[in-house]
PDB file of all heavy atoms in Angstrom:
ATOM      1  N   GLY H 286     166.377 179.147  82.027  1.00 52.00           N
ATOM      2  CA  GLY H 286     167.631 179.241  81.280  1.00 52.00           C
ATOM      3  C   GLY H 286     168.404 177.944  81.231  1.00 52.00           C
ATOM      4  O   GLY H 286     169.571 177.918  80.885  1.00 52.00           O
ATOM      5  N   ILE H 287     167.762 176.813  81.595  1.00 51.00           N
ATOM      6  CA  ILE H 287     168.436 175.520  81.540  1.00 51.00           C
ATOM      7  C   ILE H 287     168.258 174.978  80.132  1.00 51.00           C
ATOM      8  O   ILE H 287     167.153 174.609  79.742  1.00 51.00           O
ATOM      9  CB  ILE H 287     167.841 174.549  82.581  1.00 51.00           C
ATOM     10  CG1 ILE H 287     167.902 175.176  83.976  1.00 51.00           C
ATOM     11  CG2 ILE H 287     168.574 173.222  82.570  1.00 51.00           C
ATOM     12  CD1 ILE H 287     167.170 174.377  85.028  1.00 51.00           C
ATOM     13  N   LEU H 288     169.342 174.928  79.364  1.00 56.00           N
ATOM     14  CA  LEU H 288     169.226 174.588  77.949  1.00 56.00           C
ATOM     15  C   LEU H 288     169.713 173.184  77.631  1.00 56.00           C
ATOM     16  O   LEU H 288     169.400 172.659  76.574  1.00 56.00           O
ATOM     17  CB  LEU H 288     169.994 175.604  77.103  1.00 56.00           C
ATOM     18  CG  LEU H 288     169.477 177.044  77.208  1.00 56.00           C
ATOM     19  CD1 LEU H 288     170.350 177.971  76.389  1.00 56.00           C
ATOM     20  CD2 LEU H 288     168.043 177.153  76.754  1.00 56.00           C
ATOM     21  N   ASN H 289     170.505 172.584  78.504  1.00 61.00           N
ATOM     22  CA  ASN H 289     170.980 171.222  78.262  1.00 61.00           C
ATOM     23  C   ASN H 289     170.281 170.290  79.246  1.00 61.00           C
ATOM     24  O   ASN H 289     170.669 170.178  80.402  1.00 61.00           O
ATOM     25  CB  ASN H 289     172.503 171.142  78.418  1.00 61.00           C
ATOM     26  CG  ASN H 289     173.212 171.847  77.275  1.00 61.00           C
ATOM     27  OD1 ASN H 289     173.220 171.356  76.159  1.00 61.00           O
ATOM     28  ND2 ASN H 289     173.785 173.000  77.545  1.00 61.00           N
ATOM     29  N   ILE H 290     169.226 169.668  78.786  1.00 61.00           N
ATOM     30  CA  ILE H 290     168.374 168.862  79.648  1.00 61.00           C
ATOM     31  C   ILE H 290     168.288 167.455  79.065  1.00 61.00           C
ATOM     32  O   ILE H 290     168.237 167.274  77.856  1.00 61.00           O
ATOM     33  CB  ILE H 290     166.952 169.465  79.726  1.00 61.00           C
ATOM     34  CG1 ILE H 290     167.029 170.936  80.111  1.00 61.00           C
ATOM     35  CG2 ILE H 290     166.080 168.700  80.704  1.00 61.00           C
ATOM     36  CD1 ILE H 290     165.742 171.678  79.916  1.00 61.00           C
ATOM     37  N   ALA H 291     168.281 166.474  79.919  1.00 60.00           N
ATOM     38  CA  ALA H 291     168.146 165.094  79.467  1.00 60.00           C
ATOM     39  C   ALA H 291     166.894 164.484  80.081  1.00 60.00           C
ATOM     40  O   ALA H 291     166.769 164.412  81.303  1.00 60.00           O
ATOM     41  CB  ALA H 291     169.380 164.284  79.861  1.00 60.00           C
ATOM     42  N   HIS H 292     165.964 164.093  79.238  1.00 66.00           N
ATOM     43  CA  HIS H 292     164.771 163.359  79.662  1.00 66.00           C
ATOM     44  C   HIS H 292     164.030 164.084  80.785  1.00 66.00           C
ATOM     45  O   HIS H 292     163.889 163.572  81.892  1.00 66.00           O
ATOM     46  CB  HIS H 292     165.164 161.947  80.102  1.00 66.00           C
ATOM     47  CG  HIS H 292     165.940 161.201  79.065  1.00 66.00           C
ATOM     48  ND1 HIS H 292     165.441 160.927  77.811  1.00 66.00           N
ATOM     49  CD2 HIS H 292     167.198 160.700  79.081  1.00 66.00           C
ATOM     50  CE1 HIS H 292     166.343 160.275  77.119  1.00 66.00           C
ATOM     51  NE2 HIS H 292     167.413 160.134  77.843  1.00 66.00           N
ATOM     52  N   PHE H 293     163.562 165.282  80.480  1.00 72.00           N
ATOM     53  CA  PHE H 293     162.805 166.054  81.461  1.00 72.00           C
ATOM     54  C   PHE H 293     161.324 165.905  81.158  1.00 72.00           C
ATOM     55  O   PHE H 293     160.871 166.227  80.055  1.00 72.00           O
ATOM     56  CB  PHE H 293     163.209 167.529  81.405  1.00 72.00           C
ATOM     57  CG  PHE H 293     162.546 168.362  82.457  1.00 72.00           C
ATOM     58  CD1 PHE H 293     163.126 168.509  83.703  1.00 72.00           C
ATOM     59  CD2 PHE H 293     161.330 168.988  82.210  1.00 72.00           C
ATOM     60  CE1 PHE H 293     162.516 169.263  84.680  1.00 72.00           C
ATOM     61  CE2 PHE H 293     160.715 169.755  83.176  1.00 72.00           C
ATOM     62  CZ  PHE H 293     161.304 169.886  84.420  1.00 72.00           C
ATOM     63  N   PRO H 294     160.508 165.410  82.114  1.00 76.00           N
ATOM     64  CA  PRO H 294     159.077 165.256  81.858  1.00 76.00           C
ATOM     65  C   PRO H 294     158.346 166.593  81.990  1.00 76.00           C
ATOM     66  O   PRO H 294     158.678 167.410  82.850  1.00 76.00           O
ATOM     67  CB  PRO H 294     158.631 164.276  82.954  1.00 76.00           C
ATOM     68  CG  PRO H 294     159.613 164.492  84.062  1.00 76.00           C
ATOM     69  CD  PRO H 294     160.915 164.888  83.420  1.00 76.00           C
ATOM     70  N   LEU H 295     157.369 166.802  81.138  1.00 78.00           N
ATOM     71  CA  LEU H 295     156.563 168.021  81.207  1.00 78.00           C
ATOM     72  C   LEU H 295     155.198 167.753  80.595  1.00 78.00           C
ATOM     73  O   LEU H 295     154.917 166.669  80.093  1.00 78.00           O
ATOM     74  CB  LEU H 295     157.259 169.188  80.506  1.00 78.00           C
ATOM     75  CG  LEU H 295     157.854 168.961  79.110  1.00 78.00           C
ATOM     76  CD1 LEU H 295     156.788 169.042  78.055  1.00 78.00           C
ATOM     77  CD2 LEU H 295     158.933 169.977  78.830  1.00 78.00           C
ATOM     78  N   ARG H 296     154.343 168.765  80.642  1.00 80.00           N
ATOM     79  CA  ARG H 296     152.990 168.664  80.107  1.00 80.00           C
ATOM     80  C   ARG H 296     152.828 169.667  78.971  1.00 80.00           C
ATOM     81  O   ARG H 296     153.441 170.736  78.976  1.00 80.00           O
ATOM     82  CB  ARG H 296     151.966 168.964  81.202  1.00 80.00           C
ATOM     83  CG  ARG H 296     152.043 168.038  82.400  1.00 80.00           C
ATOM     84  CD  ARG H 296     151.177 166.828  82.235  1.00 80.00           C
ATOM     85  NE  ARG H 296     149.758 167.166  82.340  1.00 80.00           N
ATOM     86  CZ  ARG H 296     148.775 166.336  82.006  1.00 80.00           C
ATOM     87  NH1 ARG H 296     149.055 165.151  81.518  1.00 80.00           N
ATOM     88  NH2 ARG H 296     147.514 166.689  82.158  1.00 80.00           N
ATOM     89  N   ALA H 297     151.985 169.329  78.008  1.00 81.00           N
ATOM     90  CA  ALA H 297     151.729 170.219  76.877  1.00 81.00           C
ATOM     91  C   ALA H 297     150.248 170.186  76.540  1.00 81.00           C
ATOM     92  O   ALA H 297     149.548 169.201  76.814  1.00 81.00           O
ATOM     93  CB  ALA H 297     152.566 169.806  75.670  1.00 81.00           C
ATOM     94  N   ARG H 298     149.798 171.272  75.917  1.00 80.00           N
ATOM     95  CA  ARG H 298     148.404 171.377  75.493  1.00 80.00           C
ATOM     96  C   ARG H 298     148.336 171.304  73.978  1.00 80.00           C
ATOM     97  O   ARG H 298     148.958 172.094  73.277  1.00 80.00           O
ATOM     98  CB  ARG H 298     147.795 172.681  75.986  1.00 80.00           C
ATOM     99  CG  ARG H 298     146.313 172.821  75.617  1.00 80.00           C
ATOM    100  CD  ARG H 298     145.737 174.164  76.029  1.00 80.00           C
ATOM    101  NE  ARG H 298     145.662 174.295  77.476  1.00 80.00           N
ATOM    102  CZ  ARG H 298     146.467 175.060  78.207  1.00 80.00           C
ATOM    103  NH1 ARG H 298     147.448 175.749  77.612  1.00 80.00           N
ATOM    104  NH2 ARG H 298     146.339 175.145  79.505  1.00 80.00           N
ATOM    105  N   ARG H 299     147.587 170.332  73.462  1.00 82.00           N
ATOM    106  CA  ARG H 299     147.440 170.196  72.019  1.00 82.00           C
ATOM    107  C   ARG H 299     146.428 171.204  71.491  1.00 82.00           C
ATOM    108  O   ARG H 299     145.735 171.876  72.260  1.00 82.00           O
ATOM    109  CB  ARG H 299     146.989 168.778  71.659  1.00 82.00           C
ATOM    110  CG  ARG H 299     147.980 167.707  72.024  1.00 82.00           C
ATOM    111  CD  ARG H 299     147.690 166.376  71.396  1.00 82.00           C
ATOM    112  NE  ARG H 299     146.279 166.041  71.273  1.00 82.00           N
ATOM    113  CZ  ARG H 299     145.840 164.818  70.993  1.00 82.00           C
ATOM    114  NH1 ARG H 299     146.697 163.839  70.808  1.00 82.00           N
ATOM    115  NH2 ARG H 299     144.559 164.571  70.894  1.00 82.00           N
ATOM    116  N   ALA H 300     146.344 171.286  70.169  1.00 79.00           N
ATOM    117  CA  ALA H 300     145.419 172.240  69.547  1.00 79.00           C
ATOM    118  C   ALA H 300     143.971 171.923  69.894  1.00 79.00           C
ATOM    119  O   ALA H 300     143.133 172.816  69.950  1.00 79.00           O
ATOM    120  CB  ALA H 300     145.615 172.235  68.030  1.00 79.00           C
ATOM    121  N   ASP H 301     143.672 170.624  70.146  1.00 80.00           N
ATOM    122  CA  ASP H 301     142.301 170.251  70.496  1.00 80.00           C
ATOM    123  C   ASP H 301     142.002 170.441  71.983  1.00 80.00           C
ATOM    124  O   ASP H 301     140.933 170.078  72.457  1.00 80.00           O
ATOM    125  CB  ASP H 301     142.019 168.804  70.088  1.00 80.00           C
ATOM    126  CG  ASP H 301     143.021 167.821  70.713  1.00 80.00           C
ATOM    127  OD1 ASP H 301     143.815 168.242  71.575  1.00 80.00           O
ATOM    128  OD2 ASP H 301     143.009 166.631  70.332  1.00 80.00           O
ATOM    129  N   GLY H 302     142.973 171.001  72.730  1.00 81.00           N
ATOM    130  CA  GLY H 302     142.777 171.281  74.144  1.00 81.00           C
ATOM    131  C   GLY H 302     143.177 170.154  75.073  1.00 81.00           C
ATOM    132  O   GLY H 302     143.216 170.338  76.297  1.00 81.00           O
ATOM    133  N   ARG H 303     143.489 168.999  74.545  1.00 83.00           N
ATOM    134  CA  ARG H 303     143.853 167.852  75.378  1.00 83.00           C
ATOM    135  C   ARG H 303     145.255 168.023  75.949  1.00 83.00           C
ATOM    136  O   ARG H 303     146.169 168.475  75.257  1.00 83.00           O
ATOM    137  CB  ARG H 303     143.767 166.569  74.557  1.00 83.00           C
ATOM    138  CG  ARG H 303     144.120 165.318  75.347  1.00 83.00           C
ATOM    139  CD  ARG H 303     144.180 164.113  74.441  1.00 83.00           C
ATOM    140  NE  ARG H 303     144.726 162.962  75.131  1.00 83.00           N
ATOM    141  CZ  ARG H 303     145.084 161.818  74.550  1.00 83.00           C
ATOM    142  NH1 ARG H 303     144.928 161.691  73.246  1.00 83.00           N
ATOM    143  NH2 ARG H 303     145.592 160.828  75.247  1.00 83.00           N
ATOM    144  N   MET H 304     145.416 167.668  77.222  1.00 84.00           N
ATOM    145  CA  MET H 304     146.730 167.716  77.862  1.00 84.00           C
ATOM    146  C   MET H 304     147.443 166.384  77.645  1.00 84.00           C
ATOM    147  O   MET H 304     146.830 165.312  77.769  1.00 84.00           O
ATOM    148  CB  MET H 304     146.594 167.994  79.356  1.00 84.00           C
ATOM    149  CG  MET H 304     145.951 169.327  79.687  1.00 84.00           C
ATOM    150  SD  MET H 304     146.924 170.721  79.079  1.00 84.00           S
ATOM    151  CE  MET H 304     148.420 170.529  80.036  1.00 84.00           C
TER     152      MET H 304
END
Side-chain angles (χ1 to χ4, degrees):
I287 305 172
L288 298 177
N289 289 288
I290 308 167
H292 306 300
F293 184 89
L295 47 81
R296 301 270 288 168
R298 182 184 292 107
R299 297 193 324 194
D301 56 9
R303 180 187 171 190
M304 298 298 296

